Amino acid sequence: MRTDTSWGTLPAREHLPVEVTEAPVLDVTIPVYNEEQDLEPCVRRLHDHLARTFPYSFRITIADNASTDRTPEVSARLDAELPEVRAYRLEQKGRGRALRTVWSHSDSPVLAYMDVDLSTDLNALLPLVAPLISGHSDLAIGSRLSRSSRVVRGPKREFISRAYNLILKSSLSARFSDAQCGFKAIRRDVAQRLLPMVEDTGWFFDTEMLVLAERAGLRIHEVPVDWIDDPDSTVNIISTATEDLKGVWRVGRALAVGALPLDRLARPFGDDPRDRRLPGVPGGLARQLVGFCVVGALSTLFYLLLYSLFRAMAGPQLANAAALLVSAIANTAANRRLTFGVRGRDGAVRHQAQGLVVFAIGLALTSGSLAALDAATGNPAHSTELAVLIAANLAATVLRFLLLRAWVFPDRRADDQLRIDDQLRADDQLRTDDHLRADGPADGSIDSHADSAALYSRNAR
């Protein structure tokens, strides 16, 4: 995965300016390969639709993927006849490569693409890009699998599409409904940061972009579309599906080992109420408690399963220690990612070391409970041991959460923001004091409350 990009902070999403600028607001890319028959009708129909219905300036970019037929000639003719059409020639095949190249060089603030067959009803184009223009969302996709979508296609393609999206949901925890619909848009400022992280250059490009965007916390807007299958499509379903499955494995492995610096994109875009700090209310406490409880429940089941497995081969103390050690490592990793939202490899070793300290506390509590049980009964039943271990783990849960929250994964971002706010208040007070000294009496004193009020009023103005 390429990450060789100059990273900075993404600006807050804002509504795009309405005034006329040199760059068109929308750039619609049409990737093509040997489409000499369909290209001209597609472009003219799209151009006519945008000219009649789209309230902003636009451009249509034909991205020719190394075509060997008359597609380049048709592209050049459309470029010459229609001022809003631009032809772009690439000497290598690949839809992802074409989109990355065109979008990387475009000066439009909103970038979109659609397939040349225009299977998607063009009336969905404005609803697709409107959330990006308004600043509400970062990406937008057309969905053929929404309940309100109206789709006409054969059972084979229907099965493949739904099976593929089921694979994405189960393996990559994707929440978007339709990865492969050829009808998508993205804000250019987001594309500049996200595209260098997308490795695929073919049909998996869409899926990889959406998965990374979703994992990074970007907002993806879905638009139900009306869609009619193109029976003359030249896409090789078998080879495309094979490459997609390879891409799912590659991206899943990269996400599992934390190879992608998604934390550099995981920041609020605009006024996110979840990031407001209220006096006496710790930030994100509710979300962290839910995540901690879910991870804790799964970790407890995992721990009990390991204990039962190890107990068949060793004594209760050794089985308890081994089961706690393995489950503690898994618990720390899961809480790091799911509960406290820490991504990437930075600090992972330190977090595991601190997690082992928390594990030692849990070990002391559970081992002490087992020792007390053994001293009291002599030879307790296995069910009694499990009941005591459950009670001891519940007792250690509260302390474990407090240690993880306050020591292992402290909210440094919130602390940094508080320090910044304090510094800004101090700077404002310093400027106010300077104004008071500059506007006050010659001897530097303020003689009465009336003088103070007058000075405050003048500085307020």
Side-chain angles (χ1 to χ4, degrees):
M1 296 270 179
R2 290 186 296 274
T3 58
D4 51 343
T5 299
S6 177
W7 296 94
T9 57
L10 275 164
R13 290 191 305 260
E14 295 181 352
H15 195 296
L16 296 178
V18 297
E19 63 268 13
V20 178
T21 59
E22 293 185 2
V25 171
L26 174 65
D27 191 347
V28 182
T29 301
I30 303 177
V32 293
Y33 174 72
N34 289 347
E35 297 286 355
E36 61 181 3
Q37 298 296 328
D38 295 336
L39 178 57
E40 184 167 358
C42 163
V43 172
R44 292 193 180 277
R45 179 183 165 197
L46 175 59
H47 181 273
D48 177 69
H49 176 83
L50 289 171
R52 287 186 298 103
T53 66
F54 194 68
Y56 295 90
S57 56
F58 66 89
R59 176 195 297 136
I60 301 173
T61 301
I62 304 170
D64 178 11
N65 293 269
S67 295
T68 57
D69 62 357
R70 295 181 56 255
T71 297
E73 301 174 21
V74 178
S75 301
R77 185 171 68 252
L78 292 169
D79 188 334
E81 293 180 7
L82 300 175
E84 293 83 7
V85 174
R86 178 181 65 173
Y88 204 105
R89 169 75 176 182
L90 289 90
E91 299 303 329
Q92 292 177 292
K93 292 179 59 177
R95 183 178 69 171
R97 178 180 288 108
L99 292 176
R100 188 206 318 278
T101 302
V102 172
W103 284 356
S104 299
H105 290 86
S106 179
D107 55 357
S108 296
V110 176
L111 311 169
Y113 97 88
M114 62 181 59
D115 292 335
V116 69
D117 54 21
L118 292 187
S119 295
T120 304
D121 181 18
L122 292 179
N123 287 326
L125 182 55
L126 182 55
L128 181 80
V129 300
L132 309 187
I133 294 175
S134 69
H136 175 270
S137 302
D138 304 297
L139 298 92
I141 64 173
S143 175
R144 300 163 296 184
L145 303 181
S146 173
R147 290 184 177 180
S148 57
S149 299
R150 293 178 294 184
V151 176
V152 178
R153 62 176 167 182
K156 180 180 179 181
R157 284 183 175 272
E158 180 75 13
F159 172 78
I160 292 175
S161 178
R162 292 190 178 275
Y164 179 67
N165 282 280
L166 181 62
I167 291 173
L168 293 181
K169 292 179 183 296
S170 60
S171 61
L172 298 178
S173 301
R175 296 191 297 272
F176 48 85
S177 65
D178 193 350
Q180 288 288 28
C181 180
F183 196 69
K184 296 182 176 68
I186 185 173
R187 286 176 65 102
R188 182 167 61 96
D189 56 350
V190 176
Q192 289 174 340
R193 309 299 178 88
L194 183 58
L195 295 184
M197 303 174 68
V198 179
E199 185 172 317
D200 191 79
T201 59
W203 291 96
F204 188 69
F205 174 88
D206 303 51
T207 302
E208 185 171 357
M209 179 180 69
L210 291 174
V211 169
L212 299 186
E214 188 174 76
R215 289 297 186 94
L218 304 182
R219 178 176 290 162
I220 301 175
H221 179 77
E222 294 199 18
V223 178
V225 298
D226 297 340
W227 193 84
I228 301 177
D229 191 14
D230 178 17
D232 298 326
S233 175
T234 58
V235 177
N236 188 316
I237 297 178
I238 301 299
S239 62
T240 301
T242 302
E243 292 301 317
D244 285 349
L245 292 177
K246 291 180 180 178
V248 169
W249 168 256
R250 173 175 53 79
V251 172
R253 182 178 57 185
L255 292 172
V257 301
L260 294 167
L262 298 181
D263 55 316
R264 296 170 180 171
L265 289 173
R267 57 176 298 276
F269 285 68
D271 187 16
D272 190 339
R274 297 173 300 177
D275 293 289
R276 298 174 186 168
R277 289 185 60 84
L278 302 178
V281 180
L285 179 59
R287 285 179 292 159
Q288 291 178 358
L289 278 174
V290 172
F292 180 78
C293 289
V294 172
V295 172
L298 295 177
S299 297
T300 300
L301 292 176
F302 183 49
Y303 158 75
L304 294 175
L305 178 64
L306 289 176
Y307 177 79
S308 299
L309 179 64
F310 294 153
R311 185 67 178 85
M313 300 178 290
Q317 293 289 357
L318 183 59
N320 175 60
L324 265 180
L325 177 62
V326 176
S327 61
I329 295 175
N331 180 276
T332 300
N335 275 312
R336 182 179 189 269
R337 174 63 181 86
L338 301 177
T339 304
F340 299 98
V342 180
R343 301 176 177 86
R345 297 179 178 179
D346 294 344
V349 176
R350 174 173 57 83
H351 293 154
Q352 282 292 350
Q354 292 172 309
L356 289 178
V357 175
V358 178
F359 149 75
I361 296 175
L363 177 63
L365 287 173
T366 53
S367 296
S369 300
L370 283 176
L373 177 65
D374 186 67
T377 61
N379 188 23
H382 180 64
S383 59
T384 305
E385 289 181 348
L386 290 180
V388 170
L389 288 175
I390 292 174
N393 272 288
L394 290 176
T397 296
V398 174
L399 180 60
R400 185 182 305 121
F401 176 74
L402 293 176
L403 287 174
L404 289 176
R405 179 176 169 82
W407 180 48
V408 183
F409 307 111
D411 189 1
R412 291 191 172 88
R413 182 182 63 179
D415 294 338
D416 293 341
Q417 186 61 48
L418 286 177
R419 284 195 293 271
I420 292 173
D421 293 341
D422 291 340
Q423 183 62 46
L424 290 175
R425 283 193 291 269
D427 292 342
D428 290 340
Q429 184 61 45
L430 181 60
R431 285 192 293 269
T432 300
D433 294 341
D434 290 340
H435 284 309
L436 288 172
R437 285 192 294 270
D439 294 342
D443 61 358
S445 63
I446 299 178
D447 295 331
S448 66
H449 294 292
D451 292 336
S452 298
L455 289 171
Y456 177 83
S457 177
R458 183 162 61 250
N459 279 285
R461 292 195 299 269

